[in-house]
Amino acid sequence: MKKQKLLALFLALITAAAVLHPESVNAASSSEIRNQINALKKEKEEIQDKIADVQAQYQENADEIADIIAKKSVIDQQIQLLYTQIENITDQIAAYNILIADKQDELDNAEARYLQLNEENQIRIRTMEEDGGVSYWEVIFKANSFSDLLDRLNMVEEIAAADNRHLQELSDAANRVEASQVELNEEKQEMEVVKQELDDSQRELDEKRAEADGLIQELLSKADDLEALEAECLAQEAAFSEEIAAKELQYTAAKQAEWEAYMATYVPPTTAATTPSTASSGTSSSAGTSSGTTTGGITWLVPCSYTSITSPFGYRESPTAGASTYHQGVDLDTGTGWPVYATRAGIATTAYSSSAGNYVIVDHQDGYKSVYMHLSGFSVSSGTIVSAGQQIGLTGATGIATGDHLHFGISYNGVYVNPCLYVNL
């Protein structure tokens, strides 16, 4: 169900992207295509954030599985130990049963012997007793003499005493056997209580193990869902990347068409002309005019009003920490917020860096680019087509700078050249 919802969302996003960013060439402007690209990049970033979140969830889920497996391993060890203890207790209980049975046999034998001797003694007593007393008539009449009579009487008493001692010994033995039997039964009952406690612990651990198994299965199922979700998000990311690449091609084509259309109507200035804005008084050069060196029919305008060149092109001593020792431009000393103009027509790119501060690069589409650094602000945005002499920003001291100035540079096919060879500074 989750996968179906995600697929539906993916299709909806693609459909929306197709509606917002049609692939058909309906004369969309480069700025419109750039907006479409930015929207696609934002959607792609959202998908990437979602992928990162899913991956984090997957890792968390994997950690939880590992933790539960470790706990389950401990439970399994405890259960195995309980099995051993229960087997030991069961063997002890079985041994007690044997001992108790043996004691019962001893007790039964002692009781039987006691009964047998007691019956024999009773028979002798009955022959010697009459009305509860001892009859001496037979002894007297059979005696040969008085001494024989005494001997006979002593013999009768000794026999009776011996019988009584023997009976008492049998009774005592039977009592000892019975006491041992009682003690063994008590110990057996204690063992059965221990076994019951171990059985209860085993049942509890079995329940915990079953619970852990269920949770592991649930987490494994969740891991499968997260893997599927990640795969679908990666598919969305790839789809957005493909669409962005296609839009970039459209953007490049639109830029080229716009530039060609612009250049078809562009008329280079042939006479000096002042710019829409003028700099502060006291400057040594007029900004935004056609004054400069004309090379191959191309005129380079002065980028701003300035009082002096404070750092020329080439090797120099670094003016401050972090500044270069090979200067790839010229520094024009200015006040704060003086207008900066494009030295030639082209396409502007705006950016910021820690060393250059706010800066603008104008691509003149013929291998040349002009660079304007340390601006306090921009008057154009990236992708703007600018005319020669059009204001593009204001001077400042952003980035690594010792004061307000304009770093002005020119590059040809990626290699910086001395601006003074092109502009009359």
Side-chain angles (χ1 to χ4, degrees), residues 123-144:
I123 292 173
R124 282 196 298 273
I125 290 174
R126 280 197 301 270
T127 61
M128 296 169 63
E129 291 179 348
E130 183 178 351
D131 298 330
V134 179
S135 174
Y136 296 98
W137 296 108
E138 184 178 357
V139 175
I140 292 173
F141 288 133
K142 290 185 177 182
N144 295 326

Side-chain angles (χ1 to χ4, degrees), residues 18 47 57 68 80 200 261 288-289 293 313 341 351 354 356 407:
I47 291 297
Q57 290 184 51
I68 293 174
Q80 186 59 44
D200 293 340
T289 72
T293 302
F313 180 87
Y341 307 98
S354 59
H407 171 95

Side-chain angles (χ1 to χ4, degrees), residues 66-358:
D67 182 60
I68 293 174
I69 289 176
K71 290 179 180 178
K72 182 177 177 293
S73 177
V74 173
I75 291 173
D76 289 339
Q77 293 176 19
Q78 291 175 331
I79 290 175
Q80 186 59 44
L81 180 61
L82 280 175
Y83 280 147
T84 303
Q85 291 177 314
I86 290 172
E87 286 181 7
N88 182 268
I89 293 296
T90 302
D91 291 342
Q92 290 186 54
I93 292 174
Y96 274 111
N97 286 331
I98 294 172
L99 291 174
I100 290 169
D102 291 342
K103 291 296 181 182
Q104 185 63 47
D105 290 340
E106 290 181 32
L107 183 60
D108 291 341
N109 292 333
E111 288 179 348
R113 182 62 179 158
Y114 178 83
L115 291 174
Q116 180 184 355
L117 291 176
N118 188 52
E119 185 177 356
E120 291 174 356
N121 187 47
Q122 290 297 326
I123 292 173
R124 282 196 298 273
I125 290 174
R126 280 197 301 270
T127 61
M128 296 169 63
E129 291 179 348
E130 183 178 351
D131 298 330
V134 179
S135 174
Y136 296 98
W137 296 108
E138 184 178 357
V139 175
I140 292 173
F141 288 133
K142 290 185 177 182
N144 295 326
S145 63
F146 182 72
S147 61
D148 184 30
L149 174 64
L150 293 175
D151 290 339
R152 287 175 176 271
L153 288 174
N154 288 333
M155 181 183 65
V156 170
E157 289 178 357
E158 287 178 1
I159 291 172
D163 286 343
N164 286 332
R165 286 195 303 274
H166 195 40
L167 288 172
Q168 185 61 47
E169 289 174 359
L170 287 174
S171 178
D172 291 342
N175 289 336
R176 287 194 298 273
V177 170
E178 186 174 7
S180 297
Q181 189 180 38
V182 169
E183 183 179 354
L184 289 171
N185 271 313
E186 290 176 351
E187 292 178 358
K188 175 189 172 184
Q189 290 174 358
E190 291 176 359
M191 288 293 176
E192 288 177 343
V193 170
V194 173
K195 182 177 181 297
Q196 183 61 47
E197 291 175 352
L198 291 175
D199 287 339
D200 293 340
S201 297
Q202 180 184 337
R203 279 191 295 273
E204 181 180 351
L205 288 173
D206 285 338
E207 291 174 358
K208 288 183 178 179
R209 180 167 62 179
E211 181 182 351
D213 286 337
L215 187 54
I216 288 173
Q217 291 302 318
E218 181 181 342
L219 291 172
L220 288 174
S221 177
K222 181 180 178 181
D224 291 339
D225 291 341
L226 288 171
E227 285 181 353
L229 182 59
E230 181 185 10
E232 291 175 356
C233 288
L234 289 172
Q236 292 182 48
E237 181 187 19
F240 279 121
S241 296
E242 290 178 2
E243 189 171 1
I244 289 170
K247 289 291 182 184
E248 289 286 0
L249 292 176
Q250 293 181 31
Y251 174 78
T252 301
K255 268 294 184 185
Q256 184 64 31
E258 289 168 357
W259 174 252
E260 290 174 355
Y262 173 80
M263 292 304 294
T265 59
Y266 176 71
V267 178
T270 56
T271 58
T274 58
T275 61
S277 301
T278 57
S280 300
S281 60
T283 61
S284 64
S285 179
S286 178
T289 72
S290 61
S291 59
T293 302
T294 300
T295 303
I298 300 174
T299 301
W300 298 79
L301 305 181
V302 177
C304 69
S305 296
Y306 62 97
T307 58
S308 64
I309 297 177
T310 57
S311 183
F313 180 87
Y315 289 102
R316 66 174 182 176
E317 183 177 347
S318 177
T320 184
S324 65
T325 55
Y326 184 81
H327 201 211
Q328 296 179 326
V330 294
D331 287 347
L332 306 178
D333 189 19
T334 69
T336 304
W338 290 10
V340 176
Y341 307 98
T343 187
R344 284 180 56 203
I347 299 175
T349 299
T350 60
Y352 174 85
S353 74
S354 59
S355 59
N358 297 316

Side-chain angles (χ1 to χ4, degrees), residues 372-385:
Y372 314 81
M373 296 182 180
H374 308 298
L375 304 177
S376 61
F378 309 125
S379 302
V380 293
S381 58
S382 291
T384 301
I385 295 177

